[in-house]
């Protein structure tokens, strides 16, 4: 499984986005519309970067900072061997316009380009 790592700043906080997993494809039949084919992207998690710049480690669960320190990717945090943790940030993947229609005071993160 190939990991993809992106660094950014959102709402004044340095973050690292880690994408893992494969593209998920579902095929089936619907009584109403017939054949259905659906493709969705991989899992994306956001963490506080703590000012670090990360690259992929030897395994999908490991990333390496600019000093060569190995960090483990977990559900709750990025954790290094010394026990230092960088928290996972809350988020929700959604069509931005749908979310924003119900929650207009929410900051919406997006990638343009």
């Amino acid at each position: 499984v190939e990991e993809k790592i992106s660094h950014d700043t959102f709402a004044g906080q340095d973050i690292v986005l880690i994408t893992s997993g494969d593209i998920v494809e579902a095929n089936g039949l619907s009584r109403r519309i017939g054949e259905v084919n659906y493709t969705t992207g991989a899992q994306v998690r956001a963490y506080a970067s703590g000012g670090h710049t990360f690259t992929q480690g030897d395994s999908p669960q490991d990333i390496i900072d600019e000093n060569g320190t190995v960090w483990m990717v977990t559900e709750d945090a990025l954790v290094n061997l010394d026990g230092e943790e960088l928290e996972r940030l809350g988020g929700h993947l959604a069509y931005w316009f749908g979310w924003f229609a119900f929650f207009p005071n929410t900051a919406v993160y997006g990638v343009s380009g």
Side-chain angles (χ1 to χ4, degrees):
V1 173
E2 181 181 341
E3 294 276 333
K4 295 179 183 168
I5 300 170
S6 299
H7 297 86
D8 209 338
T9 301
F10 181 68
Q13 181 171 9
D14 291 334
I15 61 173
V16 58
L17 301 168
I18 301 175
T19 305
S20 63
D22 296 322
I23 299 296
V24 176
E25 293 185 20
N27 302 306
L29 293 174
S30 166
R31 288 186 212 174
R32 192 168 47 104
I33 59 175
E35 186 176 341
V36 176
N37 297 306
Y38 179 75
T39 303
T40 186
Q43 179 182 64
V44 178
R45 295 179 181 143
Y47 299 90
S49 71
H52 294 288
T53 301
F54 295 99
T55 57
Q56 182 57 51
D58 292 334
S59 80
Q61 292 78 29
D62 294 334
I63 58 175
I64 302 171
D65 71 16
E66 69 285 353
N67 300 313
T69 302
V70 176
W71 295 75
M72 186 170 61
V73 178
T74 72
E75 282 292 320
D76 297 325
L78 300 176
V79 183
N80 71 18
L81 297 176
D82 294 331
E84 183 180 355
E85 294 187 4
L86 298 172
E87 71 175 322
R88 182 173 176 187
L89 305 174
H92 181 80
L93 291 175
Y95 289 112
W96 73 268
F97 50 85
W99 181 270
F100 197 71
F102 286 96
F103 304 101
N105 295 322
T106 302
V108 177
Y109 177 84
V111 179
S112 62

